[in-house]
Amino acid sequence: GKGKMGKQSRRKKGKHKKSKEETPSAETGGSTILQQLRHADSRTRHAALAALTNTILDPERMSSNSKINIDLLQAIRERVMDKDLECAQLAAGCLSNYLRGMQQQDQDITSGWTIIFVERLKQCMEKFKNTKDTEQQHSPINQKQWWALTMQCLCALCSLVEMNHQALLNFVTKEESIDTLLTVLNISGKELKKDKSDSPTSYTYIEKSASYAAQTLHSALDDNAELMMKWKGSGRGWNTICQCCEEQSLPLVARLHCAGCLVAARLILENEALQTNVIVFAMPLLYSCLYLNLDQKTLLMTNLQSCYKKFKDEEADSMMEKEIIRKVNDRREPARVIARRQKELKEQKKKDEAKSKVEHEDTDMEDKDEAAESMQQNDSNAREVFELAREEWYKGMNPLELALEITANLTGIQVISESNEDIDMDGSDNERGNVDLSPIDSFLVEAIVK
């Protein structure tokens, strides 16, 4: 009897060990997860992708040194073209998280992803352009899914173009890549003119899609003479970019990236028409962003500091609460003793704050006790408020930073010396004061001074 029980026990342990080996991991990919990603049932594929998003491809859990199995990445890439929109969205999100979170990437493998993302984006834009589709295809829920997929594909494509040179070359080689981005900007501008209250979630996805499309376009054209020369005669393309600079419905960051495209073109192509576009379309936008509203920026900074302080105070209170509970559990003290100690600590804290502040607002002790009872909830609320304040700060400061960067490129002049005699050993130019500007640059300087 004992031997039989022992065998069963050993069998159980063996089975448990086998199932543990089949658990998917970042390095092996796991045969089970690969089968689920290629399963005929969309619900199984969706569950597998959701599991990956919350585990090895979660941005907060990803390590810069960890590696993802190539077969697993290949299976996820296949799902970007999935007929099920939610599966395709999750797959694009997984690849986007991988591209942004992994420092050790196989450049040869990821460079081929540009074709997949561009093809999927073309399908998305065809859905939006075809106004003769059924009402079901243009329902708010369906439209939200298509825009969510568009945003995820553009986010991943933007990371590829900025970080992978081979991916950029693949992007440039495919002629319809730029046209697809311009189509996204066109359709986004039209959709954002509609009432926001009709579909607020879709509105957010459309804004982010427009921003990522403009950023990808700017990154592709910046310092890319080959693409510039290839795209030199595309009058429709430049006209679209100029229109986007003035399109008020587009996010400010998207408009600035379009202005950056014009400035990047001016630095490479000596074209008087482009120079005029920079003066007429890009410069007014840059000026409006660089004209600082100090009251608004001060308000954003004050709000951020206040929310951060409140968050840290709540975090400190929460840590103190946990420490008290730990000590109480060790000593097993009565509840009355615990309450007395908490009251003394709060009173001491209140006295310390009164000393450091000139103005002190009286606080009701009853409210203090209620706040102590819901310490964990307050800590969560304070974190959410702080994150919202931080988002508002970035929303206000990112356009300023981008405008300064574009303005630096606009006003920068590259001096190419014809002989080495003009350059010292340390690389400095002896005749910087005698730089001759071309007529186009002269007009630009005059416009800037005005």
Side-chain angles (χ1 to χ4, degrees):
K2 289 183 179 179
K4 189 175 181 181
M5 288 177 67
K7 278 187 177 181
Q8 288 177 341
S9 177
R10 283 195 294 273
R11 275 198 206 105
K12 286 180 181 178
K13 287 181 180 178
K15 288 180 181 178
H16 179 70
K17 187 176 181 181
K18 186 177 179 181
S19 63
K20 188 175 181 181
E21 288 174 356
E22 291 179 356
T23 303
S25 63
E27 294 183 0
T28 64
S31 58
T32 305
I33 198 74
L34 293 177
Q35 292 169 2
Q36 291 174 349
L37 288 171
R38 295 187 171 109
H39 200 276
D41 189 352
S42 62
R43 291 172 297 181
T44 303
R45 300 196 301 271
H46 185 278
L49 289 164
L52 290 170
T53 305
N54 294 317
T55 52
I56 59 176
L57 287 172
D58 181 0
E60 295 183 358
R61 299 185 183 184
M62 290 171 66
S63 170
S64 59
N65 297 322
S66 58
K67 296 180 180 179
I68 306 295
N69 181 267
I70 295 175
D71 294 333
L72 179 59
L73 291 173
Q74 175 67 20
I76 297 172
R77 193 199 71 167
E78 293 169 4
R79 298 276 64 84
V80 173
M81 303 299 291
D82 202 304
K83 293 181 180 179
D84 185 271
L85 293 181
E86 292 186 0
C87 288
Q89 178 191 343
L90 281 173
C94 285
L95 296 182
S96 177
N97 290 345
Y98 170 77
L99 290 168
R100 288 183 295 170
M102 286 290 180
Q103 293 181 358
Q104 297 181 1
Q105 299 176 15
D106 194 321
Q107 300 285 317
D108 294 331
I109 292 175
T110 58
S111 63
W113 294 357
T114 52
I115 300 172
I116 298 293
F117 290 125
V118 171
E119 285 298 320
R120 189 80 233 210
L121 285 170
K122 283 172 57 183
Q123 292 181 5
C124 293
M125 294 305 104
E126 286 298 322
K127 286 292 181 182
F128 297 132
K129 284 194 295 184
N130 191 357
T131 56
K132 296 180 181 180
D133 285 351
T134 62
E135 292 182 3
Q136 183 180 1
Q137 287 178 321
H138 283 280
S139 64
I141 297 176
N142 194 266
Q143 188 184 50
K144 171 187 168 184
Q145 290 176 339
W146 280 105
W147 276 113
L149 175 57
T150 300
M151 182 203 70
Q152 293 289 7
C153 288
L154 284 166
C155 180
L157 183 61
C158 184
S159 298
L160 273 174
V161 169
E162 290 182 345
M163 298 187 300
N164 190 325
H165 181 67
Q166 185 58 45
L168 175 60
L169 293 178
N170 292 342
F171 182 81
V172 171
T173 304
K174 200 170 179 60
E175 295 182 1
E176 53 199 3
S177 300
I178 300 292
D179 291 336
T180 302
L181 294 179
L182 294 175
T183 304
V184 173
L185 288 171
N186 268 328
I187 296 178
S188 298
K190 293 176 182 177
E191 290 294 324
L192 291 172
K193 288 179 181 178
K194 298 179 181 179
D195 190 2
K196 182 179 179 180
S197 59
D198 293 342
S199 183
T201 309
S202 296
Y203 193 89
T204 303
Y205 288 140
I206 298 170
E207 277 193 323
K208 290 185 177 180
S209 296
S211 297
Y212 282 130
Q215 184 177 346
T216 305
L217 184 62
H218 187 190
S219 299
L221 293 173
D222 195 30
D223 289 333
N224 194 337
E226 180 183 353
L227 180 56
M228 285 286 188
M229 297 304 295
K230 185 177 181 180
W231 206 49
K232 184 176 181 179
S234 178
R236 187 186 71 85
W238 292 118
N239 289 336
T240 301
I241 292 175
C242 292
Q243 291 170 8
C244 288
C245 290
E246 292 188 320
E247 183 55 70
Q248 297 292 329
S249 63
L250 288 173
L252 181 56
V253 170
R255 296 169 60 200
L256 281 169
H257 278 299
C258 289
C261 292
L262 295 176
V263 172
R266 184 200 74 86
L267 294 174
I268 296 175
L269 305 175
E270 293 186 3
N271 187 309
E272 190 170 351
L274 285 174
Q275 180 73 10
T276 303
N277 289 338
V278 169
I279 296 173
V280 174
F281 297 101
M283 287 183 57
L285 179 61
L286 292 172
Y287 177 77
S288 65
C289 292
L290 293 175
Y291 182 77
L292 288 176
N293 186 337
L294 293 178
D295 292 337
Q296 183 185 13
K297 297 294 186 287
T298 303
L299 184 62
L300 285 173
M301 183 174 65
T302 304
N303 183 45
L304 180 63
Q305 290 174 336
S306 175
C307 292
Y308 179 73
K309 185 180 184 305
K310 186 175 180 180
F311 164 62
K312 297 304 289 184
D313 289 344
E314 294 287 351
E315 190 178 45
D317 289 343
S318 179
M319 292 295 293
M320 182 182 70
E321 186 79 10
K322 290 177 182 178
E323 182 65 18
I324 291 172
I325 292 172
R326 186 187 66 79
K327 290 181 179 179
V328 168
N329 290 335
D330 292 341
R331 291 196 296 254
R332 297 184 180 180
E333 291 181 328
R336 186 174 295 178
V337 177
I338 301 169
R340 189 183 298 118
R341 184 185 299 106
Q342 286 180 337
K343 186 176 180 181
E344 291 174 357
L345 286 170
K346 286 173 184 175
E347 288 178 353
Q348 183 61 39
K349 184 180 178 181
K350 187 177 177 182
K351 291 178 182 178
D352 294 340
E353 289 180 353
K355 292 178 182 178
S356 60
K357 293 182 180 179
V358 179
E359 297 179 1
H360 178 71
E361 298 180 358
D362 294 331
T363 318
D364 190 17
M365 284 303 295
E366 186 176 341
D367 293 339
K368 280 271 191 175
D369 293 336
E370 290 178 2
E373 291 174 3
S374 58
M375 186 73 69
Q376 188 174 0
Q377 183 178 357
N378 285 349
D379 185 36
S380 176
N381 292 338
R383 176 184 288 273
E384 290 176 4
V385 171
F386 167 63
E387 289 177 352
L388 287 173
R390 185 168 56 182
E391 286 180 13
E392 287 298 317
W393 169 259
Y394 286 144
K395 189 176 180 180
M397 298 306 296
N398 283 350
L400 175 61
E401 182 181 359
L402 181 57
L404 285 169
E405 196 175 317
I406 295 171
T407 304
N409 291 335
L410 176 65
T411 56
I413 300 172
Q414 286 186 328
V415 181
I416 302 175
S417 179
E418 295 181 357
S419 64
N420 294 330
E421 297 176 358
D422 297 333
I423 302 178
D424 289 336
M425 293 299 292
D426 60 353
S428 61
D429 193 343
N430 287 329
E431 299 183 359
R432 288 183 185 269
N434 300 323
V435 176
D436 292 329
L437 301 179
S438 67
I440 294 179
D441 286 330
S442 300
F443 289 130
L444 178 62
V445 171
E446 185 179 351
I448 292 173
V449 171
K450 287 183 179 179

